[in-house]
Amino acid sequence: MELYTNRLILRPWLESDAENLYRYAKDPQVGPVAGWPPHTSVDNSREIIKDVLSADETYAVCLKSDGKAIGSIGLMIGEASNLDIPNNEGEIGYWIGVPFWGQGLIPEACEELIRYAFEELKLDKLWCGYFDGNQKSKRVQEKCGFVYHHTNKDIHWKLMDDIRTEHITCMTRENQLEE
């Protein structure tokens, strides 16, 4: 499955994306604020493509101009989510490489994934979250129409083995259609 926006292609990750993934995912400004450690090598990135990014509804964010992966966006439905949600709801997660920050690319990718989730997958509600201090992620969610739902304080985040505060936002199909 591939999804398209004005500037982007959202497509499944390929093992051949490992070098590009490493280029952006090794940056300590990217992973830790999103809840995962920086990648340590191209081989590490290749393993993450095989073990994590190959999940259903997980897409490489690629510029149409060259087709190279510059970030990731995914839809985790029901039990695949980090949140306790039913199978008719999904959670969106995303990140993009530092050179592409501030260009509106992730909101563009999110809007297409939201459309796909509600119109094609017929989900009823979408969730999103960001950790304290991740203002860029908070802004993406606000731009895309997610509204604050609740905060989880002092949660242990296994991937980083630390304690965090997570803010959860959501959107229903009805709310999305009203915009």
Side-chain angles (χ1 to χ4, degrees):
M1 164 71 81
E2 291 187 354
L3 301 169
Y4 300 90
T5 72
N6 287 342
R7 299 179 288 171
L8 302 170
I9 300 168
L10 309 181
R11 62 158 173 80
W13 281 91
L14 307 169
E15 283 188 44
S16 58
D17 292 321
E19 205 168 294
N20 262 14
L21 174 58
Y22 176 62
R23 176 179 297 129
Y24 302 117
K26 69 182 178 185
D27 191 317
Q29 295 179 83
V30 176
V33 74
W36 46 269
H39 292 197
T40 56
S41 66
V42 173
D43 284 340
N44 175 228
S45 290
R46 188 173 293 107
E47 286 304 310
I48 289 170
I49 289 170
K50 285 195 269 188
D51 298 342
V52 179
L53 300 177
S54 63
D56 288 345
E57 307 299 347
T58 300
Y59 302 92
V61 175
C62 307
L63 292 174
K64 278 185 175 175
S65 58
D66 65 10
K68 292 183 178 168
I70 59 170
S72 187
I73 191 164
L75 182 61
M76 295 148 288
I77 300 170
E79 291 178 0
S81 168
N82 293 314
L83 306 170
D84 185 18
I85 58 175
N87 288 329
N88 62 341
E89 298 181 5
E91 176 190 2
I92 292 181
Y94 49 78
W95 66 267
I96 195 164
V98 174
F100 306 96
W101 286 5
Q103 298 176 34
L105 294 168
I106 285 296
E108 186 175 317
C110 270
E111 286 169 6
E112 175 57 16
L113 202 58
I114 291 166
R115 182 207 62 76
Y116 170 72
F118 286 137
E119 292 179 16
E120 296 183 39
L121 298 179
K122 306 294 187 206
L123 297 182
D124 292 328
K125 186 183 274 189
L126 291 176
W127 298 87
C128 215
Y130 62 92
F131 295 114
D132 253 2
N134 191 345
Q135 291 303 309
K136 289 180 183 353
S137 193
K138 178 182 180 184
R139 279 293 300 136
V140 167
Q141 292 169 44
E142 290 169 349
K143 282 181 186 177
C144 293
F146 285 89
V147 293
Y148 174 80
H149 188 270
H150 69 276
T151 295
N152 296 323
K153 290 184 188 248
D154 301 327
I155 58 171
H156 178 254
W157 196 253
K158 287 183 203 149
L159 278 175
M160 295 297 290
D161 192 25
D162 62 11
I163 303 297
R164 296 174 173 236
T165 294
E166 181 182 35
H167 305 282
I168 306 297
T169 63
C170 68
M171 157 193 310
T172 62
R173 187 181 332 175
E174 291 75 28
N175 291 359
Q176 190 258 349
L177 294 173
E178 290 168 8
E179 292 182 14

